[in-house]
Structure formats: C-alpha cells, structure tokens
Amino acid sequence: MSTHKVLVIDDSKVIRMRVRDMLPPNTFEVIEAKDGLEGYNLIRSENPNLIMLDFLLPKMSGWEVYQELQKEYQLKTIPLVVMSGRKEEVMEKIPEPFDYFAFVEKPFDQKQLVDAIREAMAKAKKHPRSVEFASTNNVGTAASSSSDTAAEIQTLNAKIAQMQDEINSLKKQLSQLIVFIKQRIK
C-alpha cells in the first residue's frame, strides 16, 4: 500500500503518465490534475505529500497555483517541484535561486526527477514559521508572542530580499530593453 500521495498537475497526459512510471511502484499514490484549478482543488482536498506543478497550465496557471500555496503555511510547506520546458518563463516570475521549491526542466529523466523530489523535500523544511500558522494553533503566551514577532520579521526580511531580487531582475530587463531600442534607432 502506498504511503505518500503525489499530485501531478500538468495539462499533458504524457507527462503525468511519465512521472507515474518513473516513481517507484507501490510507494506513491499518484493523483493527477489536467489544469491548475483542478490541481489547486485537489491540493486542498487530498493533502498530498508532494506536488509536481507545471508552470504553464489552463484555467489557473502554475504561477497562480504557486501564489495561492504561498498564502497558507500548511500548503506552502508541502514539497513542490515546478516543471517547465521554458525555465526563462519561470524565472520571470520567480528569480533564482529557487529557495522553497525544486525546478526540473522538461524533458527530464528518472534521475533528474528523483533529484528534484529530494531537493523539494529539503527545501520545504526551510519555510519560516508564519505568524498566521501560530495563531491558528491558539498560541497566546508571551513567549510565543516574541517568537511570532521574530518569525514575522524573518518572513518580512525574506519578502524584502525577494522583492529586491525582482527589482534587480526588472532593472536588468529594462537596461536590455534600452540597449535594444538604441540599436534599433541607429
């Protein structure tokens, strides 16, 4: 009997079947979703142990699913492997290094898949404990209040760092665009 639920969210049946075939038999229960909306609903109802998420999806993009996962501590700590044949599109939204999820570029082989799953499991443990998670567990002591504040500061610092990375990426893109426009004007 399988002990781990893996949710594979990809609009390609071939990729979903390929992931299923690459995982060790009788170890994983593989659940499949063909679009982002179906996948997000399955995340909430099935509580998977691992999510394999295509970035370009119909109905709800992988980026939108990722953003929804980041809103709740219980969801964002599920190990996540983002899959895409176009890494540059992923990096436009989420610049490297990918701190909380693993990335595997399509097409991938079994070793790359297994490595990505291991990496995702390690990275999922890095998520800072969030303030809303502590409050949902009815933690109200003074000691937890100071740890909540520390966790909130850590979360805000991580967001600031991510925003700074995004700003730097946008600056780089803007300078490339200016160079391109100047070349066209000549």
Side-chain angles (χ1 to χ4, degrees), residues 66 69-70 72-73 75-80 99-101 120 122-130 154-155:
Y66 175 79
L69 293 176
Q70 297 309 301
E72 293 183 53
Y73 182 78
L75 299 181
K76 72 181 178 182
T77 57
I78 299 171
L80 174 66
D99 292 328
Y100 301 119
F101 66 89
K123 287 182 173 184
K125 295 174 184 172
K126 290 182 177 182
H127 273 286
R129 188 169 176 85
S130 73
Q154 184 179 10
T155 302

Side-chain angles (χ1 to χ4, degrees), residues 22-65:
M22 287 182 180
L23 295 173
N26 303 322
T27 307
F28 296 97
E29 176 188 349
V30 179
I31 306 163
E32 299 179 20
K34 62 187 177 303
D35 62 63
L37 185 58
E38 179 185 9
Y40 181 69
N41 290 332
L42 284 171
I43 290 167
R44 299 198 66 76
S45 65
E46 294 291 328
N47 300 315
N49 302 98
L50 173 70
I51 302 167
M52 304 282 301
L53 176 65
D54 185 17
F55 208 67
L56 302 173
L57 292 167
K59 296 188 182 177
M60 184 178 189
S61 72
W63 166 241
E64 292 168 323
V65 172

Side-chain angles (χ1 to χ4, degrees), residues 128-131 146-156:
R129 188 169 176 85
S130 73
V131 174
S146 65
S147 68
D148 287 350
T149 303
E152 186 175 355
I153 290 170
Q154 184 179 10
T155 302
L156 290 173

